[in-house]
Amino acid sequence: MQATATTVTLTGLDAHLVRVEVDSARGLPTFQLVGLPEAAVRESRVRVRAALRRLDIDLNEWVITVNLAPAYLRKAGSAFDLAIALATLGALERLDPRSLEGMVVLGELSLDGDLRPVRGVLPALIGARERGYDAAIVPEGNGPEAAAITGVDCLVATRLEDVVDHLRGEGALPFAEARSTTRPLLESAIDLADVRGQHAARRALEVAAAGEHPLLMVGPPGAGKTMLARRLPTLLPSMTDEESLAVTAIHSVAGLLRSDDGLVRHRPFRAPHHTLSAAALLGGGEPVRPGEMSLAHHGVLFLDELLEFRRHVLDGMRQPLESGEVSICRARYRATFPARPLLVSAVNPCPCGYFGDPRRACRCSPDHLRRYRARLSGPLLDRIDLQLQLPAVDLDELSGTPGEPSAVVRARVGQARLIQHARRDAGETSTPYNAALTRADLDRVAAPDAEGQRLLRCAVEQLGLSARAYVKLLRVARSVADLAGEDAVRSHHLAEAIQARSLDHHQAQSFAQAG
């Protein structure tokens, strides 16, 4: 006899329905799996056999053949266990095959029949809903994230036995319930008021947060670069439901959600070590997983000691910084992950850290200095909107009056973002983020006045700015104007934007063309 169950496999965030077809016949006991299963899927026959034995179902007299259709699609992960077990029960006439129709099932089985949570339930159910499925069964550990999906009646179970009883009409599974996360807010531990001095850096953080502008800070050790970067998330407003859903889907595929997590409500903050690989930063692997750029989507990606990263790793960020997504192309698949983090990076001016410091002498040779700075390519530097040089903090400022707390700055940032969203909703722009405004958007909402045009032309000619840098100056100026609550972009807004590209003033040639 034959029976069929439906489950889902993922390629990146893209969901594909999989029909689990099981055929049973009397004969020499075998359990075959076909349909391009990878190792974890092939091993499911061991888990399924042991779990069914707990239900007093012995497969020693049966030839079981499992086909995962479509056969051309590679299957990965352990979420197929439950579907294979239920379809096998249907093929053995221990379960009515019709009870599996119109339903998606996901879950990994333990040897004693317990259901364990799996990765990617959120994007899997979204894909199933788009293909007309409105019912699902998932492990209880995936219940909070599954409850975030509207339009799908999702049931949760802890054991295979409970699922079987439900399908036989001998019991009822509960519906998935949303849970509110209890993780503490980041700003409860750190605050921008902790930063003394560095007024230009504080302002740069505010502008970066308002318009999602990438920020690079250059300064000697102890200038406060890391301290400032770690307080950037406290300036960002709470995520919208749409943003939370996107972030949760990425973290679900990456396996970073805890069993009691529902939607991710806190903006992610990722600070990878400089020894990470290009695949760890951008995504990859088998099966493909999101990288740090995607895990920081709608949050902050902090790259400390930027010039200690390998150059090819840094250059891999160039395209995602422009497009807002990472496309991973391999011979057998193509996966796309959203990647629009707020990039903030910190770098020392030289390997010893004291180049240009009036109080301490630099010990680096010219050749060593050129090799160090050559790791940051000109094209990547050109994509960073805000480039700030931080001096060493003066002792008097360390004992001075604290600056504005995060809550005050966050209120201004939130108001500026509301302005950007209102422009998008009114059809004036194509995006709610100033850092991603197109040239057509800028012509409508960021055309400077006559004095601003002259200032902009002078800056481009004297600093040798590229066409991309020209556009970025307009984007930053638009954010400065939004923070001030002004409709038009004026010369003083552009002046602040130009001043915020300090490497173009002093060190652009050495950073972009060294070596």
Side-chain angles (χ1 to χ4, degrees), residues 97-121:
R98 292 175 296 180
S99 65
L100 299 173
E101 295 176 356
M103 176 184 297
V104 168
V105 291
L106 298 162
E108 176 186 331
L109 286 170
S110 68
L111 296 182
D112 62 358
D114 288 341
L115 278 177
R116 293 173 174 164
V118 295
R119 296 181 177 185
V121 164

Side-chain angles (χ1 to χ4, degrees), residues 95 99 163-172:
L95 194 65
S99 65
V163 179
V164 174
D165 289 344
H166 172 82
L167 295 175
R168 288 174 176 170
E170 300 173 359

Side-chain angles (χ1 to χ4, degrees), residues 192-199 202 393-404:
L192 190 61
D194 299 333
V195 179
R196 305 298 174 93
Q198 300 296 13
H199 304 292
R202 291 171 59 98
V393 181
D394 187 83
L395 182 60
D396 293 336
E397 292 180 328
L398 288 176
S399 57
T401 304
E404 289 181 313

Side-chain angles (χ1 to χ4, degrees), residues 2-23:
Q2 295 184 353
T4 301
T6 304
T7 187
V8 180
T9 190
L10 294 172
T11 303
L13 292 177
D14 298 327
H16 306 276
L17 292 180
V18 175
R19 286 172 52 87
V20 180
E21 304 167 348
V22 178
D23 177 82

